Structures are given as C-alpha cells and as structure tokens.
Amino acid sequence: MAAEIVNPRSDADSDSETDEPFDPAFALHRGGKLAVRATVPVRDRDELSLAYTPGVARVCTAIAQKPELVHDYTWKSQVVAVVTDGTAVLGLGDIGPEASLPVMEGKAILFKQFGGVDAVPIALATTETDEIVETVVRLAPSFGGINLEDIAAPRCFEIERELQERLDIPVFHDDQHGTAVVTLAALRNAAKLTGRGLGDLRAVISGAGAAGVAIAKFLLEAGIGDVAVTDRKGVVSADRDDLTDIKREIASLTNKAGLTGSLESALKGADVFIGVSGGTVPEAAVASMAPDAFVFAMANPDPEVHPDVAHKYAAVVATGRSDFPNQINNVLAFPGIFAGALQVRASRITEGMKIAAADALAGVVGDELAADFVIPSPFDERVAPAVTAAVAAAARLDGVARR
C-alpha cells in the first residue's frame, strides 16, 4: 500500500460539501489519503498468468501444504491492521467508526512514512468487546500485526489482552504502549540531564485511562522510584471504594508513598508530572514540586500546564504539541516497534521489546542532550532504524522471534 495525498483544489474558494470557506484540510482529505499500489507489473498475458491464474495456484498450493510460507509469498509479514471502534478518537471522543476513518488513514500513512510498514485502516461498527475480538481474530490471517487505535478504556485493556492470548502475531494498543515508550525515553534523558537515575524519581500521573495506566505500569517495569496515578477524584489509592478493576490493580502496584487526596496534594515534592488527562493544573501545584522537576503535559491541544508556566519551575518541559520543544509523539515509537517485530516475525511484543525501543529512542539524542531536546524529532531519520534494530534484537533475546 502506498500513501497518496490528494492535491488541494485551486479552482474553488469554498467547499461544496460543507458550504464552508476553503479549508486546506478538507482539500487534502478529499478522496481519502491512501491508495493500493501493485508491487508487480501486469503488462501482458505472461505476467497476468503469473500474478493471477494459473501461476497463483502453485503458490496457494504450496502455502496450503506449508502454512508458514504465507510470510514469504504474500504481503502478510509487511502489513498491519489499524483497528478502531471510533470511541476515543484523538481529543474528539466517541465519534463513531466513519468519522474515525480520516485518523486511521493518517495512522496508516505514519506507519509507511516513518517505519516503511504498510497498514490498512479498519473501522468497526460495534463497541462490544466480544464482537471486536471475534472480528479481529477472523481478520488476522491477512495481517502480520494488529494495531489497536482509539478504543475507549476500560474495554481497550480487555480487547488487547484477549487478542494477545488468541493470536500469534503482535497486538499493540498504541494509545497505551506507544505513549508509554516515548514518555520513558524522554524521562530517561531528562533524568540524565539533571544527574539522576529513574530510581531517584517520584512521578504523578494525571489520568487513569489507557495512557495513564500503561505509563504507570511501564515506568514501574523500567525501575522508577515511585509513581502515583490520579483521576477526577484524586489519587488512585487502595483505600478508595469506587475503583474499577483496572484502577484497583493500579492502586495495588503504585503509590508506595501511600498518598491520598487530590492531584495538587500529590504534586507536593514530586519530581515528575505526567499529564494524559486534559484539564488545568494550578500554577501553585506546579510550584510545589521538587527542584529540577519535569513537567510532561501531554493533553492536546491544551496542555494541562502551559509551557510558559511550567518553565518557571521545571528543569525539563515536554508536551504533546509539535509547536513546542520535546514533543511526546507516538509516531516516534509505533512504526519502528512494528517494523522490528515484523522483521523477525515476532509472535508478540514483549515488555523487553518496548523497553528496548525506549532506550534506543533516548539514545538517538546522544550528545545533543539539552533541556529543550530530551526526545528527538519524528523527522529525525535516525529514529526508525534505531528503534527497529533494538526491537528486533530484543525479540530474539526474549525468544519470540521466528526468524
């Protein structure tokens, strides 16, 4: 599959479909952003007979006799399904499968542009966990990996877990793990810049949804000193009687300091703020953090802490936006993670592979490390090869590589 961008119209100054003034976003999206491109020519009878019947029958028969040949003689090992139900799309929320398609097409372009991986958008007309799982299981023979996208919590956790158990190909919920990988990479470099290790840090995460839960678990796996997760009602702690199963699990894993109460109270003396929830954190709460703190305010388009405020108190500031330094952008992670997994035909994506991706991403910064450069740009051509190689090596080390 090749990404194809439609040229903006130049012969009209209004959009006939929307009756709105000319908008370049609508112009670019007209007709969709993707097209299927053949990789072999079909110019004459001989080429047709090889690409289709009768030649194709010999290949089909060989695969039927030895199923693993599907990886060699089809596109399976090079293509990912980008699957959504449209319930948690960007900052738009539950907008449904049709309205989610422009985002899924965009995701497919990012796979190709930044990882050389082909991807197919699949928007499902169901929000039932069992139906999504069954549908993806039935589609899986056509794909080398499954990227779950913009599926609301807590269903996203169960869907991913069920698919990982039932499929022998990588299943990866990018809203969880892509965010966690890039966050860890930036945090490692921020700690290095200030002469600390990950184990020296106490972090507070605002948001107990897909990203917040995944980041908390991943930081613990990587060795952070302590982390507390907060939701709308404050710190997710074991003494609360209103927790979902996922939040009870998080409460049991996090918050060694035994914090209770509000986000603002948890931030007192904290080394790290990680925002994946939206809303606004009062300036006084940011001011109460430890010296040389890090503020990663990743809500889009409005960070939980505006960088101008964060810079008054923090040694390192990151956001989810492209118009400020240190953008925590999932595109730094998922293309290379899938490229590495597909390269070795990994059966799944392990914690070791994700940590390897974060370490490789942090390593790209190298000697250029600075307060405004703890994470590389998505357009840095070193990123995808470094992440791909690290993930492939980790897959072999973890015993999930099949070539």
Side-chain angles (χ1 to χ4, degrees):
M1 174 177 289
E4 179 177 276
I5 297 178
V6 180
N7 290 327
R9 301 188 312 279
S10 59
D11 59 347
D13 48 31
S14 66
D15 192 309
S16 60
E17 296 292 328
T18 63
D19 294 324
E20 294 290 336
F22 176 78
D23 183 332
F26 280 91
L28 183 141
H29 283 78
R30 183 174 291 281
K33 302 191 294 288
L34 299 171
V36 173
R37 176 180 59 83
T39 60
V40 297
V42 182
R43 296 165 298 194
D44 54 37
R45 180 181 297 179
D46 290 341
E47 289 176 348
L48 176 61
S49 70
L50 289 173
Y52 201 54
T53 187
V56 72
R58 299 198 296 276
V59 179
C60 294
T61 301
I63 294 171
Q65 294 171 347
K66 192 176 181 181
E68 60 267 30
L69 291 178
V70 69
H71 298 283
D72 297 312
Y73 295 108
T74 73
W75 75 341
K76 180 179 173 72
S77 283
Q78 304 170 65
V79 66
V80 170
V82 180
V83 179
T84 190
D85 63 359
T87 55
V89 180
L90 294 176
L92 303 174
D94 185 355
I95 60 174
E98 289 86 359
S100 75
L101 268 177
V103 177
M104 301 310 119
E105 288 182 359
K107 194 82 173 189
I109 289 176
L110 300 181
F111 265 109
K112 189 68 172 180
Q113 178 73 24
F114 294 103
V117 174
D118 291 323
V120 176
I122 298 176
L124 302 178
T126 179
T127 60
E128 295 296 324
T129 296
D130 290 345
E131 291 183 356
I132 292 173
V133 170
E134 292 299 330
T135 301
V136 175
V137 167
R138 284 159 174 72
L139 289 170
S142 296
F143 298 99
I146 306 294
N147 183 91
L148 300 174
E149 189 74 18
D150 294 348
I151 298 173
R155 288 179 303 106
C156 61
F157 303 115
E158 184 177 353
I159 290 168
E160 182 186 46
R161 184 171 57 251
E162 288 283 336
L163 289 172
Q164 287 172 340
E165 290 176 358
R166 294 182 61 178
L167 298 178
D168 66 347
I169 58 175
V171 178
F172 185 85
H173 185 207
D174 185 49
D175 301 317
Q176 293 184 61
H177 310 300
T179 308
V181 165
V182 184
T183 300
L184 175 59
L187 196 55
R188 282 205 192 282
N189 275 339
K192 180 179 178 182
L193 183 69
T194 56
R196 290 175 284 180
L198 206 63
D200 301 321
L201 304 177
R202 177 172 74 84
V204 176
I205 298 174
S206 175
V213 167
I215 291 169
K217 289 182 175 180
F218 196 51
L219 293 183
L220 288 170
E221 181 77 21
I224 197 165
D226 194 13
V227 57
V229 179
T230 66
D231 61 12
R232 291 182 180 89
K233 296 183 179 180
V235 176
V236 176
S237 56
D239 64 330
R240 284 175 48 180
D241 59 7
D242 62 343
L243 300 181
T244 63
D245 290 344
I246 292 294
K247 290 182 182 181
R248 275 194 292 272
E249 180 190 9
I250 281 296
S252 72
L253 297 172
T254 61
N255 193 21
K256 290 190 295 187
L259 301 174
T260 58
S262 67
L263 166 67
E264 289 81 1
S265 65
L267 281 175
K268 292 177 182 177
D271 302 292
V272 185
F273 168 75
I274 297 171
V276 284
S277 65
T280 301
V281 177
E283 182 171 344
V286 182
S288 75
M289 295 177 69
D292 289 330
F294 313 141
V295 172
F296 292 3
M298 297 187 282
N300 265 318
D302 299 314
E304 294 89 346
V305 183
H306 192 280
D308 292 344
V309 172
H311 278 298
K312 294 180 184 180
Y313 311 101
V316 177
V317 177
T319 72
R321 287 174 48 157
S322 60
D323 53 345
F324 291 107
N326 295 327
Q327 184 190 18
I328 307 294
N329 191 330
N330 291 14
V331 76
L332 288 162
F334 69 82
I337 289 173
F338 268 100
L342 293 176
Q343 185 180 94
V344 297
R345 294 181 190 166
S347 58
R348 60 192 176 93
I349 294 173
T350 65
E351 291 299 301
M353 292 161 73
K354 290 185 287 184
I355 288 176
D359 290 346
L361 187 53
V364 169
V365 171
D367 295 338
E368 301 169 73
L369 181 62
D372 62 353
F373 192 60
V374 297
I375 200 77
S377 162
F379 297 99
D380 189 323
E381 295 182 354
R382 299 171 295 176
V383 167
V387 173
T388 299
V391 168
R396 293 188 176 100
L397 189 64
D398 288 347
V400 296
R402 290 178 287 195
R403 75 167 181 184

